[in-house]
Amino acid sequence: MSMRTRRSVRAGQYVALLCYLVFLAFPFLWLISTAFKPAPELGSLHPTWIPHHPTLDNFRQAFDEQPLLRATANSLAAALSAGLIAVLIATPMAYVMARHRTRLATAATGWVVVSQAFPFVLLIIPLFLVLKNLHLINTLWGLILVYVVWALPFALWMLVGYVRAVPRELEEAAAVDGAGRLRTLVSVTAPLLAPGIVATALFAFITAWNEFFFALVLLKTPEKQTLPVVLTHFLGAEGAADLGPLAAAAFLATLPSLVLFAVIQRRITGGMLAGAVKN
């Protein structure tokens, strides 16, 4: 391949990447623009990217109309708990499946793949009946349990790849030095799995944070509702949206995920690369 051809291919790659970034950023940038527009500009026939008269009225109205702080607290409690519990359960399971390739581990891997094919609609009735018998309907703990069960298969699949990327020789060396299985797992394997664990926890957190269907069905009282459910209250009875406050509330709803991603970005990148080696 000539130098000119290589430059053309590289330029084409950069153009494709730029188009992809624009495609991803467009909805979020338009959401920010809408959140700061006054009512006359929202109804304009010729909308602009940058508001001519930026205002915070949409944010004030959003907090006045709906209990956003309480809903945010409920979503945070559910998402953080689901992410933490899913990782605590999936990590030892992934270690066993990766290090001991038995028929049971193979069957578990097949279950992980098959479980991702079930749609929400087929699961909601059995889940509702189970939670009703456990007296967990209209409770955050019931919703957290559902989120953990829903995130666990994919979290397990992710962590199996990360465990397989850790060389066995390190564990064997620790065993030679007299370390037991538990000490080896805690002192040797777990630190190397940290990027993968962080990436998996973030996946479980974002899945629970953005989830709407289960929260809508399982939570009945307004005091227990999560943020995605409360956002639907900005829609009128006939489907007309209170666009300004809705955009402001939706913008605030995206901030926790963005902040969390920005804080642990390096660990996520390292974890994904590590897991991709032998996944």
Side-chain angles (χ1 to χ4, degrees):
M1 183 181 296
S2 64
M3 183 64 67
R4 179 176 298 179
T5 303
R6 291 180 179 177
R7 291 179 178 176
S8 300
V9 172
R10 181 63 59 85
Q13 292 174 344
Y14 283 132
V15 170
L17 179 60
L18 179 61
C19 293
Y20 183 64
L21 292 176
V22 171
F23 174 77
L24 291 179
F26 174 78
F28 183 66
L29 294 177
W30 191 260
L31 177 67
I32 297 175
S33 174
T34 304
F36 289 94
K37 286 181 178 179
E41 292 188 35
L42 290 174
S44 175
L45 297 178
H46 303 285
T48 58
W49 275 96
I50 302 176
H52 296 295
H53 301 90
T55 180
L56 295 176
D57 290 342
N58 292 326
F59 293 90
R60 298 190 189 98
Q61 186 177 349
F63 280 99
D64 290 339
E65 291 182 0
Q66 301 297 334
L68 295 181
L69 291 179
R70 184 176 61 202
T72 300
N74 292 338
S75 290
L76 280 175
L80 289 175
S81 300
L84 179 62
I85 296 173
V87 166
L88 290 177
I89 296 175
T91 301
M93 291 177 62
Y95 181 83
V96 172
M97 290 175 60
R99 289 293 188 254
H100 306 282
R101 300 188 180 183
T102 61
R103 292 183 178 179
L104 181 60
T106 303
T109 303
W111 165 75
V112 168
V113 175
V114 172
S115 64
Q116 300 302 300
F118 286 97
F120 288 174
V121 177
L122 295 180
L123 298 176
I124 191 60
I125 294 179
L127 279 174
F128 186 89
L129 295 177
V130 170
L131 292 178
K132 182 179 180 180
N133 292 331
L134 295 175
H135 304 287
L136 292 176
I137 294 295
N138 196 35
T139 65
L140 281 179
W141 279 113
L143 187 64
I144 291 170
L145 179 61
V146 172
Y147 287 166
V148 170
V149 172
W150 188 254
L152 191 58
F154 192 76
L156 183 61
W157 179 78
M158 289 179 65
L159 285 172
V160 166
Y162 299 134
V163 174
R164 289 176 180 172
V166 177
R168 288 178 177 267
E169 291 76 10
L170 296 177
E171 297 177 356
E172 294 172 356
V176 171
D177 291 338
R181 176 71 66 178
L182 180 60
R183 182 173 179 81
T184 300
L185 180 61
V186 173
S187 302
V188 178
T189 309
L192 297 176
L193 287 178
I197 292 175
V198 171
T200 305
L202 181 62
F203 158 78
F205 173 86
I206 293 178
T207 300
W209 177 264
N210 294 328
E211 201 282 322
F212 169 76
F213 184 68
F214 289 133
L216 177 66
V217 175
L218 300 177
L219 300 177
K220 301 300 182 182
T221 58
E223 293 78 12
K224 302 292 181 64
Q225 290 178 340
T226 57
L227 194 55
V229 177
V230 171
L231 289 179
T232 63
H233 296 170
F234 290 100
L235 299 176
E238 298 180 357
D242 198 355
L243 193 56
L246 175 59
F251 170 65
L252 294 176
T254 62
L255 290 182
S257 298
L258 293 177
V259 171
L260 185 62
F261 183 84
V263 170
I264 60 177
Q265 178 182 5
R266 293 183 179 180
R267 283 190 175 274
I268 294 173
T269 304
M272 289 182 175
L273 291 176
V277 174
K278 295 186 179 182
N279 198 357

